[in-house]
Every structure is written in structure tokens, then in C-alpha cells.
Amino acid sequence: MKGPRRWLLGLDHLLRIHHDQLGFYQQLAHQYGDVVPLRLGPYRSWVLFHPDQVQQVLVTEADAFVRFEPVMGVLAQWNGASLLIAEGEAWKVQRRKVLPAFQPARFAGYAEQVVARSLALRERWLALADGRELQLDMDAAMVELTLELACKALFGTVLGETADIGRAVALLSDIAFAESLQPLRLPDWLPTQQKRAKAWAIQVMERTVRQLVEARRAEGGRDQGDLLSMLLAHYQGESGDRQVRDEAMTLLIAGHETTGAALSWICHLLAENQEACMTLQAELDLQLAGRPPVFADLRRLPYLEAVVKEALRLYPPAYSLFLRRAIRPVRLGELHIRRGELVQIVPWVIQRDPRWFESPDSFRPQRFLDPEQRWPKQAYLPFGSGPRVCVGQSFGMMEMLLVTAVLLQRLTPLSCGVPVVPQAKFSLRPAGGLPLRWHCRAVMAG
């Protein structure tokens, strides 16, 4: 099978991935097809673009792969031994302990928190607009909102240092992306600007999570209906507090980083597609009649769900899944993967494949209203798939649906006419922010 020529054991590939990851993967698929061999330093890697291969790697042969250890080692610097990092039996045990926090019975309570914080944000924006318009950087605004939501819904509190936490998470995201592409990671004791920034960011997150845990332990650790209650019930003692810290750190970072990015893209696409925006607002007016949404309303808002799903297809925050390493030989159709070889799966390319999606680069929410799914199952995987599918996917979907509904009831997003370029960081974000205008609209009461 043919792939691009390599230079210095694939150093040129790493440079392309660093500077233009999205374009690099799109070029691979276009030039070489569904299976592309790459050399990445001492490793042989396979980039796979067909849903059948994705099904085998993530589902039927999932136990033959682990996430690539050097990348996990980068994340473990601040995520510790959390669910994100664990493998094998340890991962299974930890997942069983985290899952109760994401059971449907708890979602009505979570939804109240999401709607309350979204309403407060909307009212601030309406006051600033004073009945007319205002312009905002939506990327920054949505990261701030989803950080508040993660803290309140998952940890039962509103933190006073959200600016520092948001900056710390952004720094760790950038550093993780850079370090995961470095052939050799430089020691942290070097007095460089990046090393000092990393130390500061980790210290901020450590202090934040430690204070959350200590405060809840001091209250007796009673069940307050949030994730932190679940973790404290399962983990006791000093070692237990460390595990709570690791899980809380991971979910605090992941719980707002990707959702904030997704909400930015949803608003961008609605601003660029006013017909879809008006269709959505008409559905919200009809079904909600001006009142705030509750969790039970979501099943009566199919177009809203279609809008969110289509945005996740076009701009998946997890644009490329974690590299996986084969721990035993695996056969994927005609492809034989040896033990130790790497596999890469790229939703950014798969979800824009014209074989599965008509007009793949167009924003068409109606494709998700068709009762007959017209694409292979693994052609759409914004949350991953298989045993290691995102544990918080239902919570994240609920959050995106409710935030979008609350904002669109009273505000209409409009383009600023500025080109928006997706940038592959640790999640997919708009390069340089996302300026949007928001126009006030009248309350549509029943």
C-alpha cells in the first residue's frame, strides 16, 4: 500500500501534522485512499479512513489496542491515573465508578443548572445589547460558560477563579498538543517560558480540584446529586482523594474544553446559515412558547438535535482520535497490523467523505431528520465509539442542546464577515477566536 515519501524517519510528517494537521490528513485520504502507511520516528503508523476499519479498531478488535503511551504520558502529567489514562482492568473499574454520575435519572437536575447559567449569560448579553446588537468572541464566551457549567453541574459549586482556570486549561491544551508531537520531551526543570507556564497551569488546576475535594469532605461528603458526590462515595482515604483528584481534573478539563468548542461551531454555522437558524427558532417558539427549556423538552425539539449533530459532523472537537498501538497482531480485512504498530482514526476526514454524506461540506441539519440513516455507523463518531466512547457524551449533548435553545430564543447570531479558520489544537477551535454579532429578537410567548 502506497503512502507519502518520508524524510528523516518521518520528521517531515510530524512537521506537517504540527503546522496543518487537517490539511495533511485530507491530502492523505485524497491521494492514497482508505489505508495510508506513515513512518513516525521509530514507529510504523496506519491512517485509516473507512468506517469498516474504524468498526474493527474501536469495537470488534478494541482489546487489541491501547492508546499510544507517549501521548498518554503527556496527559498524565496533570490527569494522573484517571479514566482517560487507564487501560485494561483498571479502566473498567474506574469507568464503573464514574458512570453513575451520568445516569439519565440525574439529568433533570443537571439540566436545571445548565439552563440557569445560560439564562444568566443571555440576560447579561441582552442588557449589553440594549435592544439592538452586540459583538462577542464566541470562542472565549463559550469556554467561559462551559467552565461555569462543568463546575456547577459536575461539582456543585461556582468557582471564583474561572479566568485563571480557563487560562490554565487553554495552556495545558496547547502544551499537550505540542509535547505530543515532540520526538523527545524536554525535562520540566529547564527554565523556559513554556515550562514555567505549564508549572503555573498545573498548580492552578491542582489547587482548584484540591479545594473542591477538601470542602466537600468537610461537609460530610453527602450526595448532592453531582459527579463529585459519586467520586467521594467510591474513593476513601488518602489514596482515594488522589483518585478523586485525578478523575475530577480530567472531567473538569474535558467537560468544558470540547463542549465549549462545539458550541462555538454551532453558533458559527447558524450565523452563516440564516434559513436553518430561522427554522430552529420557529421550532423553539412553537414548542417552548417563550419559557425556558427543561430536560423533558429535548425530545420535542428534533430540529435542534439535528443542528447540533450536523455541527458535530462538520466540526468535531475530537477531530482526530488518540493514536492507538496494537498489543497483538490484528487483521483488518486485507491489512495486517503487526504488534507495536500504530493506528490513527480521523473523524474530520471520515465525516466529510462524499461516499457517506451528500454535499459533505454543506451544513444540512435535515440529513439527521431522515429516519433511515444513509451512512455506515462508524462514518459518524464525534464522541468516538466502542468501549472507550466518551463517558460524558449524553451530558455533553444535553448541555449543547440546552445552551443553544436558551440563546436562540432571544438572540440571533449573525456573521461578522470575517473568515473563520478551524485550527487543530487538542480540540478543534477557531483560529484567533470567533467574532459574532448577536441581534436581539422579541419574546415569542404562547
Side-chain angles (χ1 to χ4, degrees):
M1 298 176 184
K2 292 185 178 180
R5 296 180 64 183
R6 62 182 183 271
W7 175 72
L8 287 180
L9 290 176
L11 179 60
D12 53 334
H13 302 333
L14 288 173
L15 290 173
R16 280 290 309 277
I17 291 170
H18 180 76
H19 291 294
D20 183 19
Q21 190 168 173
L22 303 179
F24 178 61
Y25 286 133
Q26 285 177 314
Q27 182 183 5
L28 291 184
H30 177 72
Q31 285 189 290
Y32 303 105
D34 289 329
V35 179
V36 186
L38 281 184
R39 171 63 66 176
L40 298 176
Y43 299 97
R44 189 182 193 188
S45 178
W46 299 93
V47 189
L48 307 178
F49 297 112
H50 197 285
D52 291 348
Q53 300 157 348
V54 175
Q55 172 72 14
Q56 289 181 277
V57 171
L58 299 184
V59 183
T60 57
E61 300 284 355
D63 63 349
F65 297 92
V66 295
R67 273 91 45 78
F68 189 38
E69 295 89 342
V71 175
M72 293 298 103
V74 170
L75 297 177
Q77 295 174 91
W78 49 87
N79 289 291
S82 71
L83 183 66
L84 176 68
I85 306 300
E87 294 285 354
E89 192 60 34
W91 168 78
K92 293 177 183 178
V93 170
Q94 287 168 234
R95 187 176 176 89
R96 285 196 296 269
K97 292 180 178 181
V98 170
L99 275 176
F102 296 103
Q103 293 302 308
R106 293 182 173 265
F107 274 45
Y110 293 156
E112 290 180 8
Q113 301 288 353
V114 171
V115 171
R117 305 303 297 179
S118 301
L119 283 170
L121 176 68
R122 189 184 75 186
E123 293 309 306
R124 290 201 302 271
W125 289 3
L126 288 169
L128 289 171
D130 193 22
R132 294 184 294 275
E133 279 188 6
L134 79 161
Q135 181 172 322
L136 298 162
D137 178 354
M138 280 307 295
D139 190 47
M142 289 299 96
V143 166
E144 182 179 356
L145 174 63
T146 53
L147 176 57
E148 288 183 13
L149 293 175
C151 292
K152 187 63 178 174
L154 298 180
F155 304 107
T157 189
V158 177
L159 300 176
E161 300 180 351
T162 53
D164 275 354
I165 298 169
R167 184 171 160 232
V169 172
L171 276 170
L172 293 177
S173 177
D174 289 346
I175 290 166
F177 180 68
E179 288 190 355
S180 65
L181 294 177
Q182 292 172 355
L184 292 174
R185 199 167 77 220
L186 299 176
D188 286 341
W189 50 259
L190 288 175
T192 66
Q193 183 177 359
Q194 186 186 68
K195 296 299 183 182
R196 287 193 293 268
K198 182 168 79 169
W200 174 85
I202 293 175
Q203 183 181 48
V204 167
M205 297 305 298
E206 287 269 10
R207 182 176 66 247
T208 299
V209 173
R210 185 177 65 253
Q211 289 173 350
L212 286 172
V213 173
E214 290 175 351
R216 188 64 64 85
R217 289 283 195 207
E219 295 171 0
R222 62 184 177 85
D223 187 354
Q224 297 186 19
D226 55 25
L227 171 71
L228 190 55
S229 297
M230 297 288 96
L231 295 175
L232 291 172
H234 285 297
Y235 297 107
Q236 301 294 326
E238 185 176 342
S239 62
D241 278 357
R242 181 65 192 183
Q243 193 62 47
V244 170
R245 172 261 178 224
D246 291 348
E247 302 296 355
M249 179 81 81
T250 294
L251 291 164
L252 181 59
I253 294 173
H256 89 274
E257 164 81 5
T258 54
T259 308
L263 282 165
S264 296
W265 292 119
I266 291 166
C267 295
H268 164 66
L269 287 165
L270 289 171
E272 296 286 339
N273 296 271
Q274 284 296 300
E275 184 177 350
C277 185
M278 289 188 291
T279 301
L280 173 55
Q281 289 175 322
E283 179 181 79
L284 295 173
D285 293 343
L286 176 65
Q287 297 297 336
L288 302 179
R291 63 173 175 80
V294 296
F295 180 63
D297 289 320
L298 295 182
R299 64 176 179 269
R300 299 188 295 112
L301 298 168
Y303 194 76
L304 171 63
E305 182 176 343
V307 163
V308 171
K309 286 183 174 179
E310 177 71 344
L312 290 173
R313 183 188 69 82
L314 283 168
Y315 295 101
Y319 59 92
S320 178
L321 304 188
F322 288 125
L323 270 171
R324 282 160 163 79
R325 182 179 66 84
I327 57 176
R328 61 173 171 80
V330 184
R331 180 171 180 173
L332 306 180
E334 297 181 357
L335 174 63
H336 294 265
I337 297 178
R338 300 184 183 94
R339 182 177 181 272
E341 293 184 342
L342 308 181
V343 168
Q344 184 73 58
I345 292 170
V346 188
W348 168 263
V349 175
I350 297 171
Q351 294 181 177
R352 289 171 175 257
D353 192 320
R355 292 176 294 179
W356 325 125
F357 300 99
E358 183 181 355
S359 300
D361 295 326
S362 298
F363 180 63
R364 295 187 176 184
Q366 58 269 27
R367 74 174 89 237
F368 284 95
L369 298 175
D370 190 337
E372 296 183 9
Q373 182 174 296
R374 300 182 183 277
W375 52 85
K377 182 178 180 181
Q378 303 301 341
Y380 180 76
L381 62 162
F383 297 99
S385 187
R388 298 209 69 134
V389 68
C390 174
V391 69
Q393 65 170 325
S394 296
F395 178 86
M397 273 297 294
M398 176 203 69
E399 190 176 354
M400 288 181 270
L401 293 166
L402 290 172
V403 171
T404 303
V406 168
L407 294 181
L408 269 289
Q409 281 182 292
R410 293 292 313 277
L411 293 158
T412 300
L414 300 169
S415 172
C416 288
V418 178
V420 177
V421 179
Q423 184 176 20
K425 295 188 177 182
F426 220 73
S427 60
L428 189 67
R429 311 200 72 88
L434 177 57
L436 278 185
R437 294 181 296 134
W438 288 87
H439 177 76
C440 300
R441 67 189 296 258
V443 179
M444 304 301 290

